[in-house]
Amino acid sequence: MSGKDDTMFEEISDAWELVVGLEVHTELKTTTKLFCGCSNQFGSEPNTNICPVCLGLPGSLPVLNRHAVELSIRVGLALNCTVQASLFHRKNYFYPDMPKDYQISQYDLPLNIRGHLVLPSGHRVGIERAHMEEDTGKSSHLGGSGRISSASASLIDYNRSGVPLVEIVSAPDIHTPEQAREYVSELRSVLVAVGASDGKMEEGSLRVDANVSVRPRGSTELRTRCEIKNLNSLRSLGRAIAHEANRHIALYESGESPTQQTRFWDESGQVTGALRTKEEANDYRYFPEPDLVPLAPSQEWIQSIRDTLPELPQQRREWVMDLCGEATTNDRIETAISDELYPFLVATLRSGLSPQRVVARTSNELAAELPLPNYFSTERFVEICSLEERGELTPTQVKTLLTEATHDDAPISELIARLGLVAISADSLAEIVNSVIEESPAEWTRFVEGEQQLRGFLVGKIMKASKGKADGKVVGEMLVERVSAAKKVG
Amino acid sequence: MTADPSIFEVARAVQDGSQACLPTVEAILATIAAREPEIRAFLFHDPEQVLREAQAIDDRARAGDVVGPLAGVTVALKDNLTTEETPTTCASKILEHWVPPYSATVVERLRAAGAIVIGKTNLDEFAMGSSTENSAFQVTKNPLDTTRVPGGSSGGSAAAVAARFAHVALGSDTGGSIRQPAALCGVVGFKPTYGLVSRYGLIAFASSLDQIGPFGRSVEDAGALFEIIAGHDSRDSTSLDRPAPQVLDRKDRGVEGLRVGVVADLVNFCSPDVVRRCREAADGLARAGALVEEVSVPATTLGLSAYYIIAPAEASSNLARFDGVRFGLREEGADMTETYVKTRSAGFGAEVKRRIMLGTYALSAGYYEAYYGKAQRVRTLIIRAFDEIYRRFDLLLCPTSPTTAFRTGDKANDPMAMYLNDVCTIPSSLAGHPAMSVPFGEGDDGLPVGVQLLGPALSDPLLFQAAFVLQEMANEHKRLSAARLDRTDRGGDV
């Protein structure tokens, strides 16, 4: 995400406040589908993971997948929701990729209600509900604009039909495009952390709809909103929200009002367009699904799930921030607490190594080597970072060693020997510094007199003379010492 | 009059070789060949296949294999039960050529027990009707009087058993669709407690009401078939997690001390000859030692109105999938919406369309509370009224159908008159309770009358216990009349 470009697109009038609520659909990472035993695997040959149930053949019946319920409860608990006795409803509407022409979803009694999510910025977004439902199949419309109305033919892949979803509905607590992105990004981390989702927006495992309205700043009213469907990247999300808000503002400022609509984001034109108005909206005729019994998880079950919840991103963030203090940037911390890197960070921190240094090594050098090979254990990372901590290797040498150690499973000592990575002793370094000063007397004098630009020149010469074995930081400190010594003498 | 062997006896004889299956099946096929052109009970019937299966069972029995508790027993299946590789139509044009890739759980259980599927039987389209006249393909006649309807919606199954086209049959009952045709055709029909028989593979009409059940020429046969098909099925979430109840061991237990209430409110809807038979049945149970009392359960009369909201509401959703996209009829239109409209307009009959529209309306925004919501509250009211009455009574008794079999065409153009046929059967459907129709004498027109036993949830064995007694009384009555006729004849000779 290139911050500057996006914020340019996301400027909104100071007189108006943006009000956004997000509906995020996440596919659950179960082995099988929500109501049948078919495989829930992305990317199979079309129409290979199907059976009478997920094809909605006459006479077939749904049977609820217990693992999907467990993952849904994990999501609810991670979002601080209350888990309640719930009911499945049928949402009735016709569409070719929905085999039964109704979707089994939850309506007035969802599984998880009333939670919240605290964003890295500290902003708190209310969660109204997180309910279970089944996914539809996937249509590809051939010919025309790519929409069904103008298509010459449509192909339907029912592999996705019946894949378990959790729909997470936020309160209208989001007030900037940046907050919307932050919310989705944090929600994604939570879903991945609890093992509910693989979080792959590009594969559709996370799909976002945004309800957007604006109001005069300082007001608390909720004005007419428009729902923008299928915002499937953080970039589109921010831009679509800003565009839609500006459209509303322009309408209000010219004396008109927006009408309640479902809209889509046109990526190529960078505008939103109307799909259907409220009058054209479906009457879904919700009623309780008679083929399923009420879902009332026992308190014991809920507690046992709560007991196995992992550490959530916010908890990781707080812990690392406490250790590092102000000095480390948020970006570095966010990278270091990601699922792939966090175990390495934890291992180094638990070994008592300097927090700022290991956050830097984790979020920069180690992150650059993702995905890590299996033999690259947390112990291996601790061993390498300890060499730097004890001054046995310079940062430059550690970076070289890290790259090598993620590509070659030889023991660390062997790699060090092979690469000739021996930290230079303080005495030899002092000798090199002396000889560089002697070789460049004019530059040295100007440096002592305060010409700081020459610092790089001198450090460079010293590093070169040490064949990269010197620690740049130590060299810098040494130069400072020499300058003050020279000034005293002078 | 020698009684027929029960279906378990038929199977035992096949197993031990004392009566091979093939000759029995050949005799049944001959009966079908003779009368089916007039009765028209079957939508699918393949004599060759039936003969092959019969031969295979005899071969296995001779080889000493265990051929199952229903070995060689012929079963007719209502054509809303899916059968792998055999067409399943629901008597609807929209499914005319559909061949399911899987069999219903009950069909699997029958086959595992060694039963032979003799054919798929006619019904009112999607089980919506009470005369089997709503079939898109043919009108089935009542074997006892072919100017009359067999009842419905499981009219083909009832007629097949009454005409001896099969030993037994399966039907489905949503508001009386097993019990009413059983009464009109003079056979036993049983609707089990909701959840005792798996609905997997039953093409849904109204999911919260649909229940599969047996037809038999005797209480024994209906009970034997029920014991085979009942029991938990993990593929149906509403299937009760308990073993199949035993009902045959209730024979000869009698009704001494059983408290039986005769439901006065429902009796009032029925013709005098039907009411008379019901009172005779009540008197008979009293003579056999039951404590019989007339009771009023006013809530039961509300059942009809609630049913004709709830069942169409569920149907409007259940039948949405017949859209021409994946299976069945497709009438191509210029776009998707037109394809939906043309397919469904051409594929569904008038009664199905009527109920889809009723149900869609009842669930619509702004009307939901006034119709569907209210109907559900009435349903709760009826359940509570039953709960109350079953504190005082073990079983209830009332007629099954207000009249004996009516003439084909008489009610076909009057939906309200047709709906009223279900007034006595609907209350236990709404409550999910078991109910059974047992033949008990005849009406003034000489056609059979069925009396209905109702009980609370899971009282299925008790219903059978009382049904055995009623059957015994009805048979005794038949023997006496026959003997009387005999004497009169002889007297005439003298």
Side-chain angles (χ1 to χ4, degrees), chain B residues 173-370:
Chain B
D173 190 314
T174 306
S177 280
I178 291 174
R179 291 161 284 162
Q180 185 256 17
L184 269 49
C185 290
V187 297
V188 175
F190 175 53
K191 182 199 94 74
T193 296
Y194 185 84
L196 278 182
V197 179
S198 168
R199 291 184 296 119
Y200 191 79
L202 167 64
I203 299 179
F205 159 19
S207 316
S208 74
L209 298 158
D210 294 342
Q211 189 64 184
I212 297 168
F215 288 95
R217 284 192 293 275
S218 67
V219 176
E220 285 85 345
D221 284 357
L225 190 55
F226 171 62
E227 286 187 358
I228 297 294
I229 61 169
H232 180 67
D233 177 17
S234 60
R235 290 179 293 186
D236 175 0
S237 309
T238 61
S239 163
L240 297 173
D241 194 4
R242 48 169 57 231
Q246 298 301 297
V247 295
L248 293 180
D249 59 7
R250 295 299 179 111
K251 197 178 179 181
D252 304 326
R253 291 269 286 266
V255 289
E256 179 102 45
L258 276 189
R259 301 165 303 168
V260 179
V262 180
V263 190
D265 317 78
L266 296 177
V267 166
N268 292 341
F269 285 91
C270 302
S271 67
D273 53 343
V274 170
V275 173
R276 200 179 319 123
R277 293 301 179 198
C278 186
R279 299 223 185 278
E280 284 171 17
D283 292 347
L285 289 175
R287 276 198 305 280
L291 310 169
V292 180
E293 202 182 303
E294 189 151 302
V295 291
S296 175
V297 195
T300 54
T301 60
L302 303 173
L304 197 74
S305 330
Y307 174 87
Y308 277 100
I309 296 290
I310 293 168
E314 292 184 18
S316 72
S317 175
N318 282 331
L319 270 60
R321 71 189 67 192
F322 302 98
D323 58 7
V325 175
R326 293 161 308 280
F327 49 78
L329 183 73
R330 179 195 321 219
E331 294 282 331
E332 291 283 353
D335 59 20
M336 201 56 234
T337 305
E338 199 185 312
T339 301
Y340 285 150
V341 171
K342 287 177 81 170
T343 300
R344 292 167 65 82
S345 298
F348 289 139
E351 184 59 28
V352 173
K353 286 176 187 163
R354 181 172 13 252
R355 298 204 195 186
I356 289 173
M357 285 188 277
L358 273 172
T360 304
Y361 185 81
L363 289 174
S364 295
Y367 300 101
Y368 181 94
E369 262 315 302

Side-chain angles (χ1 to χ4, degrees), chain A residues 34 131-132 134 154 158 166 169 216 239 257 275 295 332 447:
Chain A
L34 186 52
H131 70 253
M132 303 184 70
E134 58 178 338
S154 297
Y158 290 104
V166 167
V169 181
R239 289 185 174 191
S257 303
L275 273 177
L295 171 60
R332 279 192 174 178
F447 182 62

Side-chain angles (χ1 to χ4, degrees), chain A residues 159 266 375:
Chain A
N159 282 351
D266 174 1
Y375 61 79

Side-chain angles (χ1 to χ4, degrees), chain A residues 293-414:
Chain A
V293 292
L295 171 60
S298 69
Q299 285 310 313
E300 293 73 41
W301 193 25
I302 296 171
Q303 189 55 47
S304 75
I305 295 170
R306 198 189 292 278
D307 291 344
T308 61
L309 275 186
E311 203 179 9
L312 296 172
Q314 182 62 13
Q315 294 163 292
R316 294 179 180 177
R317 187 177 297 125
E318 282 169 3
W319 183 57
V320 177
M321 276 178 157
D322 280 353
L323 287 173
C324 292
E326 296 285 307
T328 306
T329 65
N330 285 341
D331 280 356
R332 279 192 174 178
I333 292 179
E334 289 308 310
T335 309
I337 65 171
S338 68
D339 273 354
E340 303 93 326
L341 296 173
Y342 190 62
F344 295 93
L345 180 67
V346 170
T348 49
L349 290 174
R350 293 235 164 96
S351 307
L353 302 179
S354 150
Q356 286 184 33
R357 183 176 290 149
V358 294
V359 167
R361 290 297 158 265
T362 310
S363 60
N364 295 329
E365 286 73 29
L366 198 56
E369 302 300 339
L370 287 174
L372 298 167
N374 286 335
Y375 61 79
F376 193 84
S377 61
T378 54
E379 291 79 11
R380 199 167 169 88
F381 187 56
V382 170
E383 188 179 351
I384 294 168
C385 290
S386 303
L387 290 168
E388 182 181 0
E389 186 90 7
R390 293 197 299 266
E392 290 174 30
L393 291 182
T394 68
T396 315
Q397 290 172 324
V398 160
K399 289 171 191 175
T400 311
L401 179 58
L402 256 176
T403 305
E404 200 61 19
T406 53
H407 290 85
D408 188 330
D409 64 354
I412 296 299
S413 54
E414 198 183 314

